[in-house]
Amino acid sequence: MARIIPNENTWVGFATTVADVSAPTAANITAAVDLTGFVISLNASSRGNTVPTPSFASLFETSTAGTSAATFDADFYRDDTGDTAWTTLPRGTRGYFIVARFGSDGAAPGVGDKVEVWPAMVTSRTMANMASNTVLTFTASCAVTEEPDEAATVAA
């Protein structure tokens, strides 16, 4: 069994519109800004909560599914010739992060490919501390504005 690393296997784009979170179109992907070359790290995760449902009839405390939540944060490089990530993601920007993990060979996903679609609004854009002999970076922290689809299929 081989372990998969994200380098050269992941594509990240940002689209201002997506036809359907569960089925973004090839046109949505083509219109998205390709941020792949600027991404350092990505934390896109969802989690569910549980609600306790105990009963006097049992010593075992059961639970049921409750609400869910999601977060999206990413670190990006700054660039002196085409500062694409910085100019695409100012605070307050709304759109959709589209992520093709493990298998895209760094290319934009095509029809039938599996992607994650994260509806988001940039809530902060924080520059990393500056230091000599380091590259400038920033973090975009986002509110996830509707339920993401972590197994969407790109439609024609």
Side-chain angles (χ1 to χ4, degrees):
M1 168 179 5
R3 302 294 187 235
I4 300 171
I5 62 169
N7 303 55
E8 297 181 341
N9 287 303
T10 303
W11 182 87
V12 179
F14 185 80
T16 54
T17 59
V18 165
D20 179 351
V21 172
S22 297
T25 64
N28 295 147
I29 304 293
T30 300
V33 176
D34 183 353
L35 299 175
T36 307
F38 299 92
V39 177
I40 302 166
S41 67
L42 180 68
N43 176 23
S45 62
S46 58
R47 63 189 177 285
N49 297 309
T50 59
V51 177
T53 56
S55 167
F56 287 152
S58 172
L59 291 176
F60 182 79
E61 187 171 299
T62 59
S63 62
T64 189
T67 60
S68 61
T71 59
F72 192 98
D73 300 293
D75 297 316
F76 298 93
Y77 286 114
R78 299 285 313 265
D79 192 76
D80 65 350
T81 56
D83 207 0
T84 304
W86 181 258
T87 58
T88 300
L89 301 171
R91 185 172 188 261
T93 299
R94 290 180 177 269
Y96 302 83
F97 285 96
I98 302 169
V99 181
R101 298 183 194 238
F102 315 124
S104 75
D105 294 328
V111 175
D113 288 345
K114 290 291 187 186
V115 295
E116 299 171 21
V117 181
W118 297 84
M121 181 180 87
V122 179
T123 57
S124 67
R125 185 175 66 170
T126 308
M127 290 289 295
N129 291 336
M130 290 175 52
S132 178
N133 202 36
T134 61
V135 177
L136 288 176
T137 64
F138 73 97
T139 300
S141 297
C142 301
V144 179
T145 57
E146 64 183 271
E147 189 170 355
D149 192 321
E150 297 170 75
T153 301
V154 178

